[in-house]
Amino acid sequence: MAGYRLPSPAGVALDRGRRLDFQFNGRALSGFAGDTLASALIASGERLIGRSFKYHRPRGIVSCGAEEPTGLLDIGHCAERVPNTRVTDTPLLHGLVARTGNAWPSLRCDLGAINSLFAPVLTAGFYYKTLMWPRWQLFEPMVRRMAGLGRAGDGADPDRYDELSVATDVLVVGAGLAGLEAAVGAAEQGAQVTLIESDPWVGGWAATVAAGASGQASQLGMQLASLVDRAAKAGVITRTRTTVFGLYDHGLAVAIEPGHGVVRERTIKIRSGRTILATGAFDRPLLFPDNDRPGVMFAHSAERYAAHYGVAVGQQVVLASACDAGVELAERLRSCGVNISAVLDLRNGEHVVGVRGRTRVSGVLVASARDPKPRVVEADTLLHTGGFTPNVSLHSQAGGGLQWDPASSMFVPSRLAHGVDLVGACAGAFDLDAAREHARETGRGCRAPAPVTGTGPVPSTNAPPGALLARRSGKTFVDLQNDVCDTDIALAARENYRSVEHLKRYTTTGMATDQGKTSNVNALVTMGMLTNRSPGEVGTTKFRPPYKPVTLGAIAAGRNGERYRPLKRMPAHAFHQSRGALFEEFSGWLRPAAYPKAGESLDAAAQREAAQTRSSVGLFEGSPLGKIEIYGPDAAAFLDLMYVGTMSTLAVGSARYGLMLNENGIVIDDGIVARLGQYHFWLNTTSGGAERAALAFEEWLQCEFVDLRVIVQPVVSQWGNVTVAGPKAWQLLEAAGFDAALAPASMKHMTIREVDYAGVSMRVMRASFSGELGYEINLPALHTQALIERLWQLGGSYGLEVGMYGVEALMLMRLEKGFIHVGADTDGTTLPHDIGMARGLDRKAANFVGRRSLLRAAATDPHRMQLVGIVPTDGKSRIPVGAHIAPYAPPAPIDGFVTSSGHSPMLQHPIALAMLQHGSSRLGEKLRIHHLGTEIEAQVVKTPFFDPSGERLHG
């Protein structure tokens, strides 16, 4: 067994009395409460846990934190499965199921490993060069199947997520010694402080050392305990096991923490006046051939495993170091009980030139300047470090700058982002005393530069750039997760991809889920050496959120289904449910698409409902219809500006169809404008355009027509709408006791009356989107269901065939009449002329929004498409929406496309609307319509298809 448990007191994070059983690739294993999945796997002797992305090489665990690039497994099964999960920060749970995601048929026998044989041609950018001939589509299915490292869940995520908002004066990210000093300094000044730490414990590096048995342990332990006590007394709010993954403008930080009980994860949005980053540093790996073998690990991760989890990463460990930190680490590891069999100090001229073994380390090949012939050092684990890389991800996210410091051989913060300070190792400050003093003063509000160099208890003398690089040929990986080798970077340099952004994208270095936390610096150093530039001259890329992978469920914070986009319900929703409505989402509202009977399809139900409405009377709830009240002395003039038609000439009690354009002359909405008083107008917009229209009105009033005295008040939620349509519509209303003044003989089409019915004030409009005699009864929303129930019951009592009809039937009836549906028959290019609405332009002399744009060359182009009616020449072929009209089968230039289509219940044959070039002049012409390899012959006809004289809507 390659790894083993260390006896107490090692493993301070463990509860050895609680055994936890779990599965890895179907094998039963066990660990202790407090373990991570990584520590439990290492303790169980598991070295090979995955396969690499491109070459499918054997891979193991290399670190002990969020920087882990290769320890990725699929956690859970079926719908609960979460792919590509880092084992290093996954708490071990009883019954946990983990599987390798990038190996088939098994981890040890992976057929994808054949890719290694083609490594010479699978270089950086190979897909750009080799998969274009003869066609990319030939390779696309294979590439997509091979893409990714895991497999998503098989169904809807059953877990629950939550969100929390927090405000604080000072946010400190990282609870090491520097973070604690900053938090205490701010809190003791009276500030409200929130301290965030991703580990289950506070103390960072100091807690790791204090948990060991070295000479520093006792001193650091006392210092740490004192700071923790002062933080508690000062009221610092500490959140452990919480990771800040995004730092944004205006003091916003977003963090993720594991949930408790029924909640799996919680997203925390934190607003702070100041943010102090104390996020520490990462091991900087060395580069040498076969540095990806399972058992090759970052050196300082071994100390964390030993101190906190009681795990020795190997039984015969070799430590290779190019800096002081590695030598100090070797002694601490020995004091923890880890068998360090050899320490290779690369500064003495020794170099690792290879690693023996395939699925686990069996030896280390070492050479020197004096003896270039490699010698074998027996080992089952190789630890390596070239120093430290400050963790500046959040600093970079916030907009902070970086600069190369030659003295310490690392990128350190230069320009600070507004409201963001850095302390401790992430600021490049490694001298313990100086770093703590700087953190203390920063917490108190002083913004002084961090002491970047030092030789304190954590030596900061990093290896110079050249010492990091491989000294022998062989497969040397710079980015372990994306299988980027030093040869790929050399190829990018030869092909002149020398810009840091080009290097990143051409080679994919730093683009994996670890975001190059441990690979970026080596990539930049390598490019610099190849192009005779310093790392500072090569430059750096910008880190972007999230700092570490976050589940989509956590980002949505439980806003899935209706919580993601809550659907609005109509006032009479319960009534529609009782009538067996089939609900669908329309413009954010849950509305009845139809009321199908047992065994009846949606299409059949819509046909029946439309036919019944045309023959008798139908009830429809139109409450989602846009309703806006416009009031003020300049209301009429304002509406003239906002609509194509002239609204100021409307008499009180009259209504008029209106078309709205934007400043480019594009049709954005339509509806009815009714006048209730001299200064009072009632507007109906489309259901989907209600909010858009109200916002457009406000924008023009606030930005352009600032002198107009107008109030805009959307009232969609305050007013319900019950539409009664059909030849017997008035008979039903008369039976219900409505005033005779609403009778068709007394109330003309496109008029509005304010009436009182059963003690409720209502606004009744004679209008029709169905083409039938129609009454749109607008009433207070709370009375909507009562009215519709009363009309339904009365219809049966008086022998009227009253039927409910849904949106689908309404769409069929409006299609028969050739009425446009904005958003279906129009798009972002449609002008009024295109849909036959030029009359309003010709009659109106005054200006209106979009008028000038209608004079542009594009608007007057004679080749523009126009809306026409079409029918299949065989009288039976359904014409699909979106089908192309072209004289030849595709690929070919098109003459137009189908916008609306359906089977007419009155004409008993399919009908459709289409945008067609020169459409108005092509009546009677036969067309060829193409859809998914099928050709349909159709003829251009005049609309309306049904009741062209409009007699039915007058009653």
Side-chain angles (χ1 to χ4, degrees):
M1 186 168 69
Y4 60 93
R5 289 286 182 185
L6 295 170
S8 296
V12 295
L14 299 180
D15 179 355
R16 297 179 188 254
R18 290 178 56 201
R19 170 175 159 163
L20 303 179
D21 296 322
F22 68 101
Q23 288 187 19
F24 170 59
N25 287 337
R27 294 183 56 220
L29 301 174
S30 66
F32 296 120
D35 263 322
T36 62
L37 179 54
S39 64
L41 286 170
I42 295 173
S44 300
E46 297 291 338
R47 284 302 177 90
L48 174 64
I49 70 164
R51 294 281 179 163
S52 68
F53 174 65
K54 184 162 64 173
Y55 299 124
H56 285 248
R57 286 169 65 101
R59 289 287 166 81
I61 298 165
V62 301
S63 75
C64 193
E67 71 273 23
E68 174 62 36
T70 60
L72 305 174
L73 296 176
D74 292 356
I75 307 299
H77 52 83
C78 299
E80 297 177 341
R81 183 170 51 249
V82 180
N84 300 340
T85 304
R86 288 169 318 287
V87 297
T88 50
D89 57 3
T90 299
L92 186 66
L93 301 175
H94 186 72
L96 182 146
V97 176
R99 288 190 173 276
T100 301
N102 194 39
W104 186 86
S106 69
L107 175 58
R108 293 193 173 274
C109 181
D110 179 17
L111 292 182
I114 196 174
N115 287 0
S116 293
L117 300 178
F118 300 96
V121 297
L122 299 180
T123 56
F126 76 92
Y127 27 80
Y128 302 127
K129 303 170 185 176
T130 59
L131 302 184
M132 296 296 105
W133 183 89
R135 288 188 304 119
W136 156 249
Q137 287 77 9
L138 293 177
F139 304 98
E140 184 179 10
M142 175 188 67
V143 172
R144 292 194 180 280
R145 281 195 299 270
M146 295 180 66
L149 289 169
R151 192 162 59 94
D154 297 335
D157 188 352
D159 291 319
R160 295 185 62 181
Y161 303 85
D162 198 6
E163 184 177 271
L164 179 67
S165 294
V166 174
T168 188
D169 296 332
V170 179
L171 170 66
V172 181
V173 184
L177 284 179
L180 283 166
E181 286 281 9
V184 170
E188 290 182 346
Q189 294 285 323
Q192 182 184 14
V193 179
T194 299
L195 179 62
I196 302 293
E197 172 55 54
S198 59
D199 285 331
W201 56 82
V202 298
W205 167 84
T208 300
V209 175
S214 67
Q216 293 176 282
S218 178
Q219 180 183 1
L220 281 175
M222 289 189 294
Q223 294 174 359
L224 180 58
S226 174
L227 278 174
V228 171
D229 182 62
R230 289 173 60 192
K233 290 179 178 177
V236 175
I237 300 171
T238 303
R239 288 182 176 272
T240 57
R241 297 185 63 193
T242 302
T243 302
V244 173
F245 66 80
L247 202 59
Y248 305 91
D249 295 339
H250 310 297
L252 174 63
V254 184
I256 188 78
E257 72 171 359
H260 306 282
V262 297
V263 176
R264 177 187 165 188
E265 287 179 312
R266 178 176 291 108
T267 301
I268 306 176
K269 296 180 179 179
I270 308 168
R271 289 281 184 184
S272 64
R274 281 198 301 146
T275 300
I276 301 175
L277 301 179
T279 48
F282 300 122
D283 251 316
R284 182 178 304 176
L286 301 172
L287 297 182
F288 48 85
D290 294 327
N291 59 334
D292 67 327
R293 297 300 189 201
V296 177
M297 301 180 68
F298 301 155
H300 286 85
S301 65
E303 186 175 20
R304 284 174 58 91
Y305 281 118
H308 297 289
Y309 304 111
V311 174
V313 294
Q315 296 179 343
Q316 196 171 7
V317 180
V318 172
L319 192 153
S321 171
C323 59
D324 292 342
V327 178
E328 296 285 341
L329 175 63
E331 295 304 316
R332 294 201 302 271
L333 285 173
R334 286 190 175 114
S335 67
C336 288
V338 179
N339 178 29
I340 304 295
S341 60
V343 177
L344 305 176
D345 193 337
L346 274 61
R347 295 173 298 178
N348 296 330
E350 295 181 305
H351 302 287
V352 176
V353 296
V355 179
R356 282 191 169 181
R358 178 166 176 76
T359 60
R360 63 177 58 224
V361 173
S362 62
V364 180
L365 298 177
V366 181
S368 66
R370 297 187 305 273
D371 184 9
K373 183 180 179 180
R375 75 179 195 276
V376 178
V377 178
E378 296 296 327
D380 63 8
T381 302
L382 172 60
L383 304 178
H384 61 105
T385 180
F388 297 101
T389 296
N391 180 4
V392 293
S393 294
L394 295 178
H395 163 73
S396 181
Q397 285 183 23
L402 297 172
Q403 65 183 15
W404 178 256
D405 181 53
S408 58
S409 295
M410 59 186 175
F411 282 100
V412 296
S414 56
R415 182 189 68 258
L416 296 178
H418 177 72
V420 179
D421 291 297
L422 292 91
V423 298
C426 70
F430 288 91
D431 180 87
L432 189 57
D433 293 334
R436 290 183 63 180
E437 178 61 28
H438 174 255
R440 192 178 305 119
E441 293 301 314
T442 301
R444 292 170 179 170
C446 299
R447 215 176 198 205
V452 171
T453 58
T455 56
V458 183
S460 66
T461 307
N462 282 346
L468 301 173
L469 306 183
R471 297 303 179 105
R472 294 291 179 93
S473 61
K475 212 69 174 171
T476 302
F477 290 89
V478 178
D479 187 310
L480 289 168
Q481 188 171 141
N482 273 354
D483 274 355
V484 180
C485 300
D486 57 349
T487 53
D488 294 316
I489 296 176
L491 177 64
R494 291 197 302 272
E495 297 185 351
N496 210 33
Y497 289 96
R498 302 183 177 198
S499 161
V500 65
E501 295 293 350
H502 292 163
L503 169 66
K504 175 180 178 179
R505 285 156 182 81
Y506 189 59
T507 65
T508 68
T509 298
M511 294 179 65
T513 60
D514 65 331
Q515 287 204 5
K517 292 179 176 65
T518 56
S519 63
N520 275 358
V521 171
N522 283 346
L524 301 177
V525 166
T526 303
M527 176 57 78
M529 299 289 284
L530 292 167
T531 57
N532 296 316
R533 292 181 292 170
S534 71
E537 291 173 321
V538 175
T540 61
T541 57
K542 181 180 177 64
F543 290 101
R544 295 177 175 85
Y547 165 74
K548 71 174 186 179
V550 178
T551 63
L552 294 176
I555 293 174
R559 289 186 292 270
N560 61 332
E562 286 205 36
R563 284 195 68 192
Y564 170 68
R565 187 181 180 186
L567 294 177
K568 293 171 279 191
R569 285 169 167 75
M570 300 189 298
H573 180 84
F575 172 80
H576 301 302
Q577 279 185 313
S578 71
R579 300 306 308 159
L582 174 62
F583 289 100
E584 292 184 5
E585 187 266 337
F586 296 93
S587 301
W589 289 82
L590 199 59
R591 305 179 65 177
Y595 302 81
K597 297 181 179 180
E600 192 177 40
S601 67
L602 172 62
D603 185 62
Q607 293 282 323
R608 171 181 54 77
E609 292 165 12
Q612 182 174 359
T613 301
R614 293 222 186 273
S615 64
S616 181
V617 59
L619 298 178
F620 176 84
E621 184 178 357
S623 297
L625 189 68
K627 296 177 279 290
I628 303 173
E629 295 201 49
I630 305 289
Y631 189 86
D634 298 318
F638 173 65
L639 291 176
D640 281 350
L641 288 166
M642 298 309 298
Y643 281 94
V644 170
T646 302
M647 303 303 171
S648 57
T649 58
L650 272 174
V652 175
S654 296
R656 186 169 293 161
Y657 175 79
L659 197 67
M660 281 184 64
L661 313 180
N662 63 16
E663 59 271 26
N664 295 310
I666 303 299
V667 175
I668 59 171
D669 205 81
D670 70 343
I672 296 175
V673 178
R675 195 164 197 166
L676 297 175
Q678 182 181 1
Y679 301 142
H680 191 185
F681 290 83
W682 172 269
L683 275 61
N684 284 147
T685 69
T686 60
S687 299
E691 294 178 1
R692 180 173 63 245
L695 290 172
F697 291 156
E698 288 290 359
E699 181 178 2
W700 284 102
L701 283 172
Q702 294 180 31
C703 299
E704 300 295 335
F705 310 136
V706 295
D707 296 327
L708 295 183
R709 296 164 295 172
V710 179
I711 294 175
V712 177
Q713 182 61 57
V715 291
V716 176
S717 299
Q718 287 85 351
W719 290 82
N721 176 293
V722 178
T723 297
V724 185
K728 299 180 180 179
W730 170 241
Q731 289 179 248
L732 178 60
L733 293 180
E734 185 179 35
F738 276 85
D739 195 301
L742 303 180
S746 304
M747 184 182 183
K748 296 182 179 179
H749 181 62
M750 295 300 280
T751 57
I752 191 169
R753 298 284 187 271
E754 294 190 86
V755 302
D756 183 274
Y757 176 76
V760 179
S761 296
M762 301 182 183
R763 295 170 179 173
V764 182
M765 183 185 295
R766 276 284 314 276
S768 178
F769 196 43
S770 64
E772 296 296 322
L773 171 65
Y775 292 87
E776 294 186 0
I777 305 172
N778 299 283
L779 72 167
L782 292 176
H783 296 279
T784 305
Q785 180 159 320
L787 177 62
I788 203 168
E789 286 178 342
R790 176 171 172 77
L791 293 175
W792 173 262
Q793 294 169 357
L794 283 171
S797 302
Y798 282 81
L800 298 173
E801 295 181 12
V802 179
M804 300 298 303
Y805 66 95
V807 174
E808 292 296 329
L810 179 63
M811 290 296 107
L812 284 176
M813 291 188 284
R814 73 91 191 168
L815 179 59
E816 289 180 324
K817 292 295 295 180
F819 295 155
I820 68 164
H821 183 202
V822 173
D825 301 309
T826 67
D827 59 20
T829 66
T830 306
L831 304 177
H833 304 76
D834 304 337
I835 53 175
M837 298 292 179
R839 289 184 302 169
L841 302 175
D842 299 335
R843 295 177 180 177
K844 186 172 181 177
N847 192 21
F848 57 88
V849 171
R851 180 158 205 159
R852 186 172 63 177
S853 295
L854 299 178
L855 302 176
R856 294 185 297 186
T860 57
D861 184 351
H863 300 291
R864 289 189 65 84
M865 294 183 184
Q866 297 169 327
L867 192 68
V868 297
I870 56 174
V871 296
T873 55
D874 63 7
K876 59 183 180 180
S877 297
R878 295 286 289 265
I879 304 175
V881 173
H884 285 179
I885 303 171
Y888 308 105
I894 67 170
D895 288 344
F897 56 92
V898 180
T899 61
S900 296
S901 178
H903 187 277
S904 168
M906 299 306 292
L907 302 177
Q908 287 299 300
H909 64 72
I911 56 177
L913 296 176
M915 296 298 291
L916 180 67
Q917 288 183 355
H918 312 288
S920 60
S921 62
R922 297 174 71 172
L923 289 176
E925 183 178 332
K926 291 185 178 179
L927 309 170
R928 291 182 177 180
I929 300 177
H930 304 274
H931 180 71
L932 300 178
T934 301
E935 182 178 303
I936 303 170
E937 187 181 71
Q939 186 174 19
V940 182
V941 298
K942 190 175 182 179
T943 58
F945 300 98
F946 174 71
D947 186 29
S949 62
E951 294 180 359
R952 298 176 68 94
L953 61 81
H954 294 292

